[in-house]
Amino acid sequence: NAGVTQTPKFRILKIGQSMTLQCTQDMNHNYMYWYRQDPGMGLKLIYYSVGAGITDKGEVPNGYNVSRSTTEDFPLRLELAAPSQTSVYFCASSVQPNQPQHFGDGTRLSIL
Amino acid sequence: AQRVTQPEKLLSVFKGAPVELKCNYSYSGSPELFWYVQYSRQRLQLLLRHISRESIKGFTADLNKGETSFHLKKPFAQEEDSAMYYCALSGGITGGGNKLTFGTGTQLKVEL
């Protein structure tokens, strides 16, 4: 099993550009999460989903959008990239909210 | 509000020395606590959780509700323990447990 797969691994964007960070999991987990990790900081929750068709905001949702059309996929969309969104983005999934989360390798995003 | 504090950004110990990574939390209900680890060039992964009360790779962690702490300990550090360690808290299913709150992490460096 691949677990949680994120693409791309690295990306450089110009200010104002848009892009979608892809996340897919093959464990049939209902719960999926997007985090960002800034240098020297812990992971902060951007959005999460409790199942297909259901999403909710986390701590730092501004500037991002998500969708969950299938159990497997949970893409994160940046509409108008800003330098403040330069970060490492992690996707995770879990079978239940209080169960351990499985993480992807992360996407390192730089906005210049 | 949930909060996790890891006071040390970097902890350097010699091989064979005891290790204690500190974690304190703030939460009004009954928390569920986890330690996650990220080895160099690997994804974030679960190390242990307090509810299972087990020892993983020689590490243990005891939840102390009186001191609101969940310190990670190992009696004899090994070189392969060098990694980034994150303490995380979940409020559980009944307590807004759809997310984990992470500490800022402690980089453990085991020197020969």
Side-chain angles (χ1 to χ4, degrees), chain A residues 2 4 31 33 35 37 40 42-43 45 48 90 97-101 103-105, chain B residues 9 32 34 36 38 43-44 46 49 86 90 92-93 97-100 102-104:
Chain A
V4 178
Y31 294 81
Y33 312 83
Y35 296 91
Q37 184 179 33
L43 279 73
L45 184 67
Y48 67 97
F90 290 98
N98 62 337
Q99 294 297 314
Q101 294 185 10
F103 285 82
D105 288 328
Chain B
K9 281 189 183 289
E32 301 204 23
F34 306 81
Y36 283 81
Q38 188 171 28
R43 62 182 61 183
L44 199 64
L46 178 72
R49 56 189 301 199
Y86 293 95
S90 169
I93 290 176
N98 287 335
K99 62 172 186 154
L100 286 178
F102 284 85
T104 51

Side-chain angles (χ1 to χ4, degrees), chain A residues 7-107:
Chain A
T7 56
K9 292 193 185 304
F10 306 95
R11 186 72 184 269
I12 298 174
L13 283 181
K14 293 183 179 178
I15 295 171
Q17 285 185 319
S18 62
M19 79 162 294
T20 300
L21 280 65
Q22 301 291 346
C23 176
T24 188
Q25 52 94 6
D26 60 3
M27 296 172 285
N28 203 33
H29 287 172
N30 282 325
Y31 294 81
M32 295 188 75
Y33 312 83
W34 273 106
Y35 296 91
R36 60 177 286 173
Q37 184 179 33
D38 301 326
M41 307 294 287
L43 279 73
K44 293 192 175 181
L45 184 67
I46 305 171
Y47 270 96
Y48 67 97
S49 170
V50 303
I54 306 169
T55 63
D56 206 350
K57 295 177 180 178
E59 295 175 78
V60 290
N62 291 344
Y64 306 95
N65 277 302
V66 294
S67 60
R68 186 94 182 272
S69 56
T70 66
T71 299
E72 294 78 19
D73 299 307
F74 190 41
L76 178 72
R77 178 96 180 146
L78 282 72
E79 291 294 349
L80 288 169
S84 61
Q85 294 177 305
T86 294
S87 191
V88 181
Y89 291 84
F90 290 98
C91 180
S93 73
S94 66
V95 63
Q96 291 285 345
N98 62 337
Q99 294 297 314
Q101 294 185 10
H102 299 256
F103 285 82
D105 288 328
T107 295

Side-chain angles (χ1 to χ4, degrees), chain B residues 12-40:
Chain B
S12 187
V13 301
F14 285 107
K15 180 181 174 181
V19 174
E20 184 179 49
L21 300 169
K22 291 184 167 43
C23 172
N24 288 91
Y25 67 90
S26 173
Y27 183 66
S28 57
S30 291
E32 301 204 23
L33 285 142
F34 306 81
W35 276 100
Y36 283 81
V37 60
Q38 188 171 28
Y39 300 103
S40 179

Side-chain angles (χ1 to χ4, degrees), chain B residues 59-106:
Chain B
F59 284 98
T60 59
D62 290 319
L63 177 60
N64 185 322
K65 291 187 177 181
E67 295 183 358
T68 60
S69 68
F70 187 56
H71 303 328
L72 184 68
K73 299 178 183 179
K74 185 170 183 177
F76 307 104
Q78 298 173 310
E79 193 180 357
E80 55 265 32
D81 296 329
S82 294
M84 191 73 169
Y85 292 80
Y86 293 95
C87 184
L89 178 152
S90 169
I93 290 176
T94 58
N98 287 335
K99 62 172 186 154
L100 286 178
T101 298
F102 284 85
T104 51
T106 298

